[in-house]
Amino acid sequence: MEIICLQENLKKGINIISNIIGKNLTLPILNNILLTVEKKRLRLISTDLEIAITHWTSGKVKKEGEITIPAKLLSEFINNLPNKKIEIKTKDNSLQIKCENFKSIIKGIDSKEFPIIPEIKGESIIKIKAPELRQAFSQVVNFTSLSDIRPEISGVLINFNSKEIKFVATDSFRLGEKILFLKGNRSRVKKSVIIPLRTVQELIRILGEQDKEEVVEILIEQNQILFKTLDSRLISRLIEGTYPNYEQLISKQFETNLILDKNEFLNTVKISSLFSSKINDLRLKVVPKKSLVEVFAQDAEIGENISELKGEIKGKEIEIIFNHKYLLDGLNNISSNKVILGLNGEASPGILKPVGDLSFIYVIMPIKL
Amino acid sequence: MEIICLQENLKKGINIISNIIGKNLTLPILNNILLTVEKKRLRLISTDLEIAITHWTSGKVKKEGEITIPAKLLSEFINNLPNKKIEIKTKDNSLQIKCENFKSIIKGIDSKEFPIIPEIKGESIIKIKAPELRQAFSQVVNFTSLSDIRPEISGVLINFNSKEIKFVATDSFRLGEKILFLKGNRSRVKKSVIIPLRTVQELIRILGEQDKEEVVEILIEQNQILFKTLDSRLISRLIEGTYPNYEQLISKQFETNLILDKNEFLNTVKISSLFSSKINDLRLKVVPKKSLVEVFAQDAEIGENISELKGEIKGKEIEIIFNHKYLLDGLNNISSNKVILGLNGEASPGILKPVGDLSFIYVIMPIKL
């Protein structure tokens, strides 16, 4: 193979695909990028056998062909080169690279050893703008279970129907649901899939590097999903299993209903959490007739803190205990100034949601004493 | 004790002193800050028994007294409070803190258990502007030996004389010397001291938080040194021992003299170093008649790179091998556009210095094959 490309194009492509490549000692070929010169473009592929990422970049093709090259070295080398023309050429199992006053030879591995990347010809589910998809994933990804004990919650659920797409993640202690309401481009199919956490993290990263106007097409085939933009593709396996029937947790009616200033609430939780013990964590005492929440934290060894929060509070008086970290995670994913906290007694899940935005709901289980 | 201070003042003070406090399991009192209300101010002290830092902050004193409080908790708590008045009051061995809608009690340890901080009444050596002192330390601190095998080079040498102050650090593979030329405020004494690496790192951090116009007074007494600003003091032990007689390494005459573009040189070393093997590292072939340096790196497993650097080169042709990391460290501490590299054969130390700036010299030992 032989091609001339611009450093910035090659750099962008390598950065998009190479993050999933780690240090694989048992299968060294997975540490490499597959470079293929075909027709008028250079194709770059990486895979960890669960996810495969492909990116095409333009260049002046002199000769078709392919080779695999260690990703880490190639990426550091190309990133540091000046933004000029780069001449790339294979010789035996090496890649010769010339750029301005630099001449390098990098040893590679024959492309025949590279795993076969599946083709997805499955049904096209929907097209979404890249920033919207990225934001939806970002808002729930951190609630995913990090353990593999229950594989079905170790990923993000995507539920497509004709009016909306729901993104859901939970670790069984708290749950986040983000809804993308569809206007023009309705989804063609009803479908639910569970996407592995790493795939979601990778998508968030890659979509952040795309143009604002970039559109992502999603295709599904059996146990695989494909995210497709103009120049890039990400294929991932799906998680098999049945996602928990979470909708019953999301009450619409509350015995106690609070509207609080988001930043005040966030700051109070932060400060109180410094004093929280593992057993007792944060105790919220809600007093509707005083329009007041007392947040109380105490640890026998370090001390205690009481903070008062004013708000618009209706319904029953209640004392309830929450884990401070889960409260913080929920509040940090809400961008409105005011937040609604809905409670139904000390043993039922609390609901946290932004005021004036129906697209996000956060469910948090209380700690029962 | 009882005092009212502003959150931002208290926050600043705690941040200045608390960085040296780690997690000391054998002597828990060292995890605490000593707070003393005296006359019209609040004094904060931290120590790790090698370094002690004191900072004074103003406030409305209601009652004198003192207590020690865990630094980590106090620091996180105060940092997160709103920038309002904070009421601080001891009760038994606890500290009561009130700020807006927050009320806390933090458990402390009796101040009698806190180590005694030495007073230095030694001779005042000099007064220097804080940014100048900080920059001088910063430019050499990274060359200090991290090992304790030769304690005398595990710190930064400061050599005071009537015309200048020299700051020197080495790990025996390379050495940096920074000179502060004195104008008005000449040093009163000739003196050399070796300051422990951690003290220097702490000073760089603290001086970065001072006003630009802040002046630092340096006092020395036997084996201790004091750095004094308007509101803060840092006392440290000095390292005993004789600093190596390094001046013989700094040649003034060179067999080969190169003037190179600093950024080009830096970038070439970065790129070449990707291909450098541990044995061979970077080989520089200097060809004066072509005004050219060829930088060559090769590793049998990964490949090779040749880069060409143009420059103004005089004297003998030479091939010399350098460690790429040491070259990078030197170049990264030079801010001029052009850099001088002086060589005296393949076995003698190379000298790197900025063009048009006599205040910095970097010595780098070649690798002998």
Side-chain angles (χ1 to χ4, degrees):
Chain A
M1 59 174 262
E2 191 176 347
I3 189 168
I4 299 172
C5 355
L6 275 178
Q7 185 263 358
E8 62 176 344
N9 294 344
L10 196 53
K11 177 178 163 182
K12 186 187 165 198
I14 293 172
N15 288 347
I16 284 176
I17 68 153
S18 61
N19 193 55
I20 54 166
I21 301 179
K23 184 88 189 153
N24 196 310
L25 295 173
T26 48
L27 216 53
I29 189 81
L30 297 184
N31 303 329
N32 282 19
I33 293 174
L34 174 62
L35 295 94
T36 309
V37 173
E38 46 171 33
K39 290 169 201 157
K40 289 178 180 172
R41 299 192 295 179
L42 171 65
R43 188 185 68 186
L44 305 165
I45 300 186
S46 65
T47 183
D48 64 359
L49 300 182
E50 288 226 326
I51 306 173
I53 308 177
T54 308
H55 181 83
W56 285 267
T57 187
S58 57
K60 198 173 156 190
V61 173
K62 298 208 163 177
K63 198 176 165 193
E64 298 191 355
E66 57 185 11
I67 191 170
T68 83
I69 294 293
K72 192 162 173 289
L73 175 61
L74 188 67
S75 153
E76 288 182 9
F77 182 56
I78 301 294
N79 278 339
N80 278 297
L81 285 178
N83 185 11
K84 302 282 175 177
K85 279 185 190 166
I86 301 182
E87 290 177 50
I88 297 174
K89 194 177 166 179
T90 47
K91 194 183 172 188
D92 305 325
N93 266 333
S94 288
L95 198 64
Q96 294 186 332
I97 304 178
K98 275 189 215 172
C99 178
E100 292 243 295
N101 52 333
F102 299 98
K103 269 190 279 184
S104 292
I105 298 173
I106 302 183
K107 298 200 175 173
I109 304 179
D110 194 312
S111 63
K112 290 188 193 99
E113 292 188 32
F114 203 79
I116 292 166
I117 306 301
E119 284 281 321
I120 290 195
K121 299 195 178 88
E123 52 185 343
S124 172
I125 305 291
I126 200 167
K127 288 182 183 176
I128 316 174
K129 281 197 178 167
E132 282 184 25
L133 183 60
R134 179 170 195 263
Q135 209 241 324
F137 274 130
S138 305
Q139 229 173 330
V140 300
V141 64
N142 293 332
F143 314 139
T144 312
S145 170
L146 299 177
S147 133
D148 281 334
I149 299 173
R150 291 176 60 193
E152 71 278 10
I153 57 168
S154 70
V156 173
L157 174 79
I158 311 192
N159 186 325
F160 301 92
N161 69 50
S162 61
K163 289 186 209 156
E164 61 199 18
I165 313 176
K166 287 181 179 168
F167 298 78
V168 184
T170 184
D171 60 3
S172 84
F173 302 107
R174 44 37 190 294
L175 176 144
E177 183 194 64
K178 169 75 183 176
I179 305 175
L180 273 189
F181 299 104
L182 301 175
K183 287 164 212 156
N185 49 354
R186 297 182 166 214
S187 168
R188 284 160 205 132
V189 225
K190 276 197 163 193
K191 198 144 204 148
S192 275
V193 292
I194 307 168
I195 303 182
L197 176 58
R198 276 204 60 222
T199 305
V200 176
Q201 290 167 330
E202 218 25 58
L203 277 166
I204 291 172
R205 200 187 59 81
I206 294 174
L207 294 174
E209 298 190 16
Q210 305 287 339
D211 248 34
K212 274 188 192 169
E213 292 305 313
E214 188 80 66
V215 168
V216 185
E217 185 178 359
I218 301 177
L219 291 95
I220 296 176
E221 187 182 83
Q222 288 170 351
N223 63 343
Q224 300 210 93
I225 189 162
L226 167 63
F227 297 86
K228 197 171 153 184
T229 66
L230 205 60
D231 294 327
S232 308
R233 282 185 191 187
L234 184 149
I235 293 180
S236 165
R237 72 167 179 96
L238 292 167
I239 294 175
E240 288 174 55
T242 308
Y243 205 79
N245 181 10
Y246 69 93
E247 288 184 329
Q248 64 196 17
L249 293 175
I250 305 180
S251 308
K252 304 268 185 266
Q253 301 292 322
F254 307 110
E255 291 176 7
T256 315
N257 197 90
L258 301 86
I259 300 179
L260 302 170
D261 181 277
K262 204 250 329 200
N263 287 330
E264 257 181 48
F265 192 13
L266 187 65
N267 206 31
T268 299
V269 174
K270 262 191 212 166
I271 290 181
S272 309
S273 66
L274 297 173
F275 296 85
S276 70
S277 70
K278 274 178 194 156
I279 318 155
N280 228 330
D281 225 306
L282 297 194
R283 178 189 296 266
L284 275 61
K285 187 177 173 189
V286 185
V287 192
K289 59 184 171 192
K290 290 189 186 168
S291 302
L292 191 76
V293 188
E294 273 183 16
V295 181
F296 185 69
Q298 186 179 35
D299 181 296
E301 282 179 24
I302 60 174
E304 60 177 63
N305 182 71
I306 300 177
S307 314
E308 290 181 352
L309 262 177
K310 289 273 176 189
E312 234 177 273
I313 305 174
K314 285 178 187 153
K316 276 195 193 167
E317 191 166 313
I318 176 182
E319 274 195 52
I320 190 165
I321 299 171
F322 287 120
N323 173 299
H324 65 273
K325 191 185 165 304
Y326 297 151
L327 270 179
L328 284 181
D329 282 352
L331 289 167
N332 278 325
N333 279 290
I334 290 176
S335 54
S336 62
N337 294 330
K338 297 272 178 188
V339 68
I340 295 168
L341 176 63
L343 303 172
N344 282 313
E346 61 173 43
S348 296
I351 302 282
L352 208 56
K353 52 189 179 182
V355 168
D357 172 6
L358 298 171
S359 78
F360 183 71
I361 289 175
Y362 186 73
V363 183
I364 173 168
M365 300 304 293
I367 297 172
K368 296 166 205 164
L369 282 192
Chain B
M1 59 174 263
E2 192 176 347
I3 189 168
I4 299 173
C5 357
L6 275 177
Q7 185 262 358
E8 61 177 343
N9 293 343
L10 196 53
K11 177 177 163 182
K12 186 188 165 197
I14 293 172
N15 289 346
I16 284 177
I17 69 152
S18 61
N19 193 55
I20 54 166
I21 301 178
K23 184 90 187 151
N24 196 312
L25 296 173
T26 48
L27 216 53
I29 188 82
L30 296 184
N31 303 328
N32 282 19
I33 293 174
L34 173 63
L35 295 93
T36 309
V37 173
E38 46 171 33
K39 291 170 199 157
K40 289 178 179 170
R41 299 192 295 179
L42 171 64
R43 188 186 67 187
L44 306 164
I45 300 185
S46 65
T47 183
D48 64 0
L49 300 183
E50 289 226 326
I51 306 173
I53 308 177
T54 308
H55 181 84
W56 285 267
T57 187
S58 57
K60 199 173 157 192
V61 172
K62 298 208 163 175
K63 196 178 166 192
E64 297 190 356
E66 57 184 12
I67 191 170
T68 83
I69 295 293
K72 192 164 174 289
L73 176 60
L74 188 66
S75 154
E76 288 181 8
F77 182 57
I78 301 293
N79 279 337
N80 278 297
L81 286 178
N83 184 11
K84 303 280 177 181
K85 278 185 191 167
I86 301 181
E87 291 176 51
I88 298 174
K89 194 176 166 181
T90 47
K91 195 185 172 189
D92 305 325
N93 267 332
S94 288
L95 197 65
Q96 293 186 334
I97 304 178
K98 274 190 213 170
C99 178
E100 293 244 292
N101 52 334
F102 299 99
K103 269 189 279 183
S104 291
I105 298 172
I106 302 183
K107 299 199 174 172
I109 303 178
D110 194 311
S111 62
K112 290 187 195 102
E113 292 188 33
F114 203 78
I116 292 166
I117 306 301
E119 285 281 320
I120 289 196
K121 297 193 179 88
E123 51 185 343
S124 172
I125 305 290
I126 200 168
K127 289 183 182 174
I128 317 174
K129 282 199 178 167
E132 281 183 26
L133 183 60
R134 179 170 195 263
Q135 209 239 323
F137 275 130
S138 305
Q139 228 172 331
V140 300
V141 64
N142 293 333
F143 314 139
T144 312
S145 170
L146 300 175
S147 135
D148 281 334
I149 299 174
R150 292 176 59 192
E152 71 279 10
I153 57 168
S154 70
V156 173
L157 174 79
I158 311 191
N159 185 326
F160 301 93
N161 69 51
S162 60
K163 290 186 208 153
E164 60 198 19
I165 312 175
K166 287 182 179 168
F167 298 78
V168 184
T170 185
D171 60 2
S172 83
F173 302 109
R174 45 38 190 292
L175 176 144
E177 183 195 62
K178 169 75 182 176
I179 305 175
L180 274 188
F181 299 103
L182 301 174
K183 286 165 216 155
N185 51 353
R186 299 183 164 212
S187 168
R188 284 160 205 132
V189 227
K190 277 198 162 190
K191 199 146 203 148
S192 276
V193 292
I194 307 168
I195 303 182
L197 175 58
R198 276 202 60 221
T199 305
V200 176
Q201 290 168 330
E202 217 25 59
L203 277 166
I204 291 173
R205 198 186 60 78
I206 294 174
L207 294 174
E209 299 191 15
Q210 305 286 340
D211 248 34
K212 274 189 194 170
E213 293 304 313
E214 188 82 66
V215 168
V216 185
E217 185 178 359
I218 302 177
L219 292 94
I220 297 176
E221 187 183 83
Q222 287 168 353
N223 63 343
Q224 301 208 94
I225 190 163
L226 167 62
F227 297 85
K228 198 171 153 183
T229 65
L230 204 61
D231 293 327
S232 308
R233 282 186 193 186
L234 184 147
I235 294 180
S236 165
R237 73 165 179 95
L238 292 167
I239 294 175
E240 289 174 53
T242 309
Y243 205 78
N245 182 10
Y246 69 91
E247 289 185 329
Q248 62 195 20
L249 293 175
I250 306 180
S251 307
K252 304 270 186 263
Q253 301 293 322
F254 306 111
E255 291 176 8
T256 314
N257 196 91
L258 301 86
I259 300 179
L260 301 169
D261 182 278
K262 204 250 328 201
N263 286 331
E264 257 180 48
F265 192 13
L266 187 66
N267 206 32
T268 299
V269 174
K270 263 191 210 164
I271 290 181
S272 310
S273 67
L274 298 172
F275 296 85
S276 71
S277 70
K278 274 177 196 158
I279 318 156
N280 227 329
D281 224 306
L282 298 193
R283 178 189 296 266
L284 275 60
K285 187 177 172 189
V286 185
V287 192
K289 59 184 172 196
K290 290 190 187 165
S291 301
L292 190 76
V293 188
E294 273 184 17
V295 182
F296 186 69
Q298 185 179 35
D299 182 297
E301 283 179 21
I302 60 176
E304 60 178 64
N305 181 72
I306 300 177
S307 313
E308 290 181 352
L309 263 177
K310 288 274 176 188
E312 232 177 274
I313 306 174
K314 283 177 190 154
K316 275 196 195 167
E317 191 166 314
I318 176 182
E319 275 196 51
I320 190 166
I321 300 170
F322 286 121
N323 174 298
H324 65 273
K325 191 183 166 303
Y326 297 151
L327 269 178
L328 285 180
D329 282 353
L331 289 167
N332 277 326
N333 278 289
I334 289 177
S335 54
S336 63
N337 294 330
K338 297 273 177 186
V339 69
I340 295 168
L341 176 63
L343 303 172
N344 282 314
E346 60 173 44
S348 296
I351 302 281
L352 209 56
K353 53 190 181 184
V355 168
D357 172 6
L358 298 171
S359 79
F360 183 71
I361 289 176
Y362 186 72
V363 183
I364 173 168
M365 300 305 292
I367 297 173
K368 295 166 208 166
L369 282 191

